[in-house]
Amino acid sequence: MLAASLRDQFGEIDIYLFDQCLRGRFDGRRRVLDAGCGDGRNLEFLLRQGVECFGVDQDSRAIRRITARAAALAPTLSPDHFQVAELDRLPFADGAMDAVLASAVLHFAADADHFGRMVTELWRVLAPGGLLFARLASTIGIESATGPAGRRVRLPDGSDRFVVDEPMLLDWTARLGGALLDPLKTTNVQGMRCMTTWVVGKPAGPALQSRA
Ligand SMILES: C[S@@+](CC[C@H](N)C(=O)[O-])C[C@H]1O[C@@H](n2cnc3c(N)ncnc32)[C@H](O)[C@@H]1O
């Protein structure tokens, strides 16, 4: 009963994204892109709230599913908002989005170069003042099992993932010119894998000069 009621409102939203919503981080954000959206579980709540949502995924079946879900939840939203695309080639203009989500996607990078291209592209489409929310596999807390970050490894749970660590995420935050909005938070699943939440703010542009 309780669970059903929660699901009615929030769907299967990622708990760490839910936490960001609870803390007001999505208040007033009009355009939100879910990059690597899958079937769109993380957009369901935002769609219900009337946020202008966009989704891309390399898998056309996933795009069909999110398009159908969005049509039911937000019938006035154009189906063009959901497209097959690669994260390192996003079909959006610079600064088009107020927030970008990449939940359980960046760890599918082929290598460090691919990871960098994807992160740079997510950042490109983010508007000044925008928010990047990413969850991804890391070595944090399981270094002895994974070895160094910045490459694909076999995790103790048997999956192959590109893994990051704290210095790498802090370095990328600085390279992008962003600011961590939260300390890095990592969930260690009993030594089998670790998922880190990386929340970065893009600085707002310089204040408009008032005309004399
Ligand atoms: C584990 S699912 C996560 C889906 C969703 N973000 C969520 O949290 O439920 C990973 C998704 O990322 C997509 N994906 C992986 N690499 C991608 C890439 N380079 N470009 C676009 N989509 C990608 C996959 O097709 C898949 O739908």
Side-chain angles (χ1 to χ4, degrees):
M1 191 83 168
L2 188 61
S5 163
L6 277 170
R7 253 188 239 110
D8 281 348
Q9 289 182 69
F10 301 105
E12 303 285 338
I13 192 170
D14 175 88
I15 191 71
Y16 299 92
L17 179 59
F18 179 67
D19 175 52
Q20 293 294 314
C21 292
L22 277 180
R23 289 195 282 144
R25 291 269 166 76
F26 283 81
D27 288 5
R29 300 201 187 273
R30 281 189 315 110
R31 293 162 64 95
V32 175
L33 168 66
D34 191 350
C37 58
D39 66 5
R41 71 182 174 118
N42 285 323
L43 289 182
E44 186 165 332
F45 172 66
L46 297 171
L47 284 164
R48 285 186 199 282
Q49 297 302 307
V51 174
E52 197 180 349
C53 294
F54 297 78
V56 297
D57 200 288
Q58 65 184 192
D59 181 348
S60 58
R61 289 163 308 174
I63 292 302
R64 279 200 293 278
R65 286 197 294 271
I66 175 64
T67 306
R69 180 179 275 201
L73 295 170
T76 58
L77 198 66
S78 166
D80 299 349
H81 283 214
F82 305 99
Q83 303 177 52
V84 175
E86 290 289 329
L87 254 68
D88 61 353
R89 272 167 285 146
L90 292 173
F92 304 108
D94 296 0
M97 302 294 162
D98 299 311
V100 174
L101 317 177
S103 168
V105 185
L106 291 170
H107 53 220
F108 292 109
D111 52 31
D113 191 52
H114 187 208
F115 177 83
R117 290 200 312 276
M118 291 195 285
V119 169
T120 306
E121 191 65 349
L122 298 177
W123 196 253
R124 179 186 69 75
V125 303
L126 198 57
L131 175 140
L132 171 64
F133 170 92
R135 292 203 72 222
L136 69 172
S138 76
T139 64
I140 300 169
I142 50 170
E143 297 85 350
S144 59
T146 60
R151 64 205 177 97
R152 283 184 80 90
V153 301
R154 169 100 9 117
L155 296 175
D157 69 3
S159 62
D160 292 315
R161 298 283 185 262
F162 180 86
V163 283
V164 296
D165 62 6
E166 181 174 321
M168 206 179 148
L169 290 178
L170 296 182
D171 180 53
W172 267 107
T173 304
R175 283 164 77 173
L176 296 170
L180 279 190
L181 296 185
D182 279 335
L184 299 174
K185 293 179 185 168
T186 301
T187 305
N188 183 333
V189 186
Q190 211 173 335
M192 302 298 281
R193 69 176 175 282
C194 285
M195 290 289 288
T196 295
T197 305
W198 184 35
V199 189
V200 190
K202 192 168 192 170
L208 289 176
Q209 301 291 322
S210 59
R211 291 190 193 161

